[in-house]
Amino acid sequence: MVSYKELGLVNSRDIFKKAFEGKYAIPAFNFNNMEQMQAIIQACVEKKSPVILQVSSGARKYANQTLLRYMAQGAVEYAKELGYNIPVVLHLDHGDTFELCKSCIEMGFSSVMIDGSHHPYEKNIELTRQVVEYAHKYDVTVEGELGVLAGIEDEVVAEHHTYTEPDQVEDFLSKTGVDSLAISIGTSHGANKFKPEQCTRNAEGILVPPPLRFDILEEIEKRIPGFPIVLHGASSVPQDLVAIINKYGGALKDAIGIPEEQLRKAASSAVCKINIDSDGRLAMTAAVREIFATQPAEFDPRKYLGPARESLKKLYMHKVENVLGSAGKA
Ligand code: G3H
Ligand code: 13P
Ligand code: ZN
């Protein structure tokens, strides 16, 4: 057993409290490899933003749990070396079993999500409560989820949103003891969040998706004042990146994300954590595709992963500064 405290990590309690009071959100960026981790840390140090390094169960299998532990510790040291000791959380994204959450806590995670949202309500409470009881013994914070996002969450596919029911949130919090709550108000995972027929065209002919359900968010805030809310599926799917990918042989069709103004509005409410994975995937893929197409003789991985890392860093800096509002808050 290694405590996250020995690795120099922090749990999410204090940073969420500050984010709530300061009306901004902490970035939760997913990572699976060294370049992604470097880009996240470089961007957040440069912008002096707290950060949540987020690992899905798939990422954990891909990268190896032992390496991840040392990468997280390395991330903390790397930030210091870059000149600023930002708060770094290592968080399990979409944990689906008690055993997975326990194993992550034993390997140095400072925060875990137990996603029981696909279970019946009572089962969600029971599973979440079990994780909270274990996690809190080690001062690890826990994110629960109520409501189901449309789209794909690991192996689970939901055709439609099941918006979070505001009437359930107080009961869920008091019965589980979670530290933060992920809700469903119209975001979804992946790069295809909306079908074109769900969108309208603005004056410039750009497809505008239906707005997030801020009315539900407000209702939830009224029931649980001051409690940190989490938004999953918050990539904006930048159309310039989609265009580069498709220009250089990609085949992304109908890729539509959440407009950044809506995320900015959410970040100034009780939403204290915003999850972004797909936009990073797009930035990396666009950079790599462009180099493969324009420099076909290149075969040194540093020559395409290096520019991909730069592109990621630029994207993260933009998110932190202009969307989440967490720049300068570390
Ligand atoms: O919510 C899902 C995250 O984007 C992680 O995706 O399970 O493919 O690593 P993944
Ligand atoms: P995106 O697919 O919109 O980036 O969402 C990521 C996420 O919610 C990770 O949990
Ligand atoms: Zn998610």
Side-chain angles (χ1 to χ4, degrees):
M1 168 102 195
V2 58
S3 163
Y4 69 86
K5 293 176 186 175
E6 290 163 38
L7 308 183
L9 300 161
V10 298
N11 68 23
S12 63
R13 200 166 292 123
D14 281 355
I15 59 171
F16 282 173
K17 189 168 182 288
K18 288 185 185 137
F20 182 86
E21 286 162 3
K23 295 189 179 304
Y24 59 91
I26 310 289
F29 296 133
N30 289 68
F31 83 107
N32 305 263
N33 65 25
M34 183 186 74
E35 283 78 7
Q36 290 171 319
M37 191 272 270
Q38 288 174 317
I40 296 168
I41 295 297
Q42 287 173 11
C44 292
V45 165
E46 214 157 303
K47 289 290 172 191
K48 295 190 167 54
S49 169
V51 70
I52 298 174
L53 289 172
Q54 194 157 260
V55 177
S56 69
S57 60
R60 194 163 178 260
K61 279 191 212 119
Y62 178 82
N64 176 277
Q65 54 164 345
T66 304
L67 276 177
L68 279 172
R69 172 212 149 152
Y70 288 101
M71 282 174 86
Q73 187 172 16
V76 173
E77 297 306 319
Y78 184 44
K80 285 187 207 156
E81 186 184 306
L82 291 174
Y84 208 77
N85 192 7
I86 56 171
V88 180
V89 174
L90 180 65
H91 175 77
L92 170 67
D93 192 22
H94 294 286
D96 56 350
T97 61
F98 170 75
E99 290 70 27
L100 174 61
C101 293
K102 179 171 180 282
S103 167
C104 286
I105 292 166
E106 287 167 354
M107 289 299 278
F109 281 60
S110 59
S111 174
V112 292
M113 175 189 195
I114 178 69
D115 182 356
S117 62
H118 299 281
H119 293 298
Y121 183 62
E122 293 303 330
K123 169 83 181 150
N124 187 0
I125 290 178
E126 187 191 321
L127 178 61
T128 307
R129 177 77 227 158
Q130 190 189 10
V131 172
V132 169
E133 273 171 9
Y134 184 79
H136 282 183
K137 281 190 216 158
Y138 302 98
D139 203 18
V140 167
T141 38
V142 180
E143 175 184 327
E145 180 165 335
L146 266 182
V148 181
L149 275 63
I152 304 167
E153 282 183 350
D154 256 337
E155 271 97 57
V156 184
V157 182
E159 192 65 30
H160 302 289
H161 302 287
T162 307
Y163 295 119
T164 305
E165 181 52 66
D167 280 344
Q168 285 182 337
V169 294
E170 271 177 282
D171 186 60
F172 187 78
L173 263 48
S174 70
K175 288 184 175 154
T176 60
V178 283
D179 303 283
S180 60
L181 182 69
I183 60 166
S184 170
I185 55 164
T187 60
S188 61
H189 292 101
N192 295 80
K193 300 190 189 298
F194 304 97
K195 299 201 169 70
E197 51 274 24
Q198 293 175 281
C199 304
T200 49
R201 278 192 195 279
N202 69 11
E204 289 92 51
I206 294 165
L207 286 172
V208 181
L212 298 179
R213 293 289 305 269
F214 283 99
D215 56 326
I216 298 179
L217 175 59
E218 277 163 29
E219 267 310 308
I220 293 171
E221 288 186 74
K222 275 190 213 152
R223 314 288 170 104
I224 47 171
F227 195 80
I229 301 293
V230 177
L231 266 198
H232 282 249
S235 277
S236 295
V237 188
Q239 292 301 302
D240 53 338
L241 296 176
V242 173
I244 295 172
I245 291 173
N246 287 338
K247 178 175 174 189
Y248 294 111
L252 290 179
K253 207 170 164 286
D254 299 336
I256 304 168
I258 312 293
E260 289 186 340
E261 317 79 70
Q262 295 207 23
L263 296 169
R264 185 69 210 101
K265 182 174 167 189
S268 63
S269 73
V271 170
C272 293
K273 170 175 180 269
I274 290 191
N275 286 10
I276 297 172
D277 186 2
S278 297
D279 283 356
R281 296 179 179 194
L282 293 169
M284 268 198 116
T285 302
V288 171
R289 274 198 176 276
E290 181 165 2
I291 289 171
F292 280 180
T294 56
Q295 302 171 45
E298 193 54 73
F299 71 104
D300 177 347
R302 291 170 298 187
K303 298 285 167 51
Y304 49 87
L305 292 178
R309 184 174 61 193
E310 268 313 298
S311 174
L312 265 181
K313 179 181 172 188
K314 206 172 122 208
L315 173 93
Y316 293 140
M317 285 173 51
H318 164 70
K319 297 282 180 190
V320 158
E321 179 84 51
N322 305 314
V323 185
L324 285 85
S326 62
K329 308 293 186 185

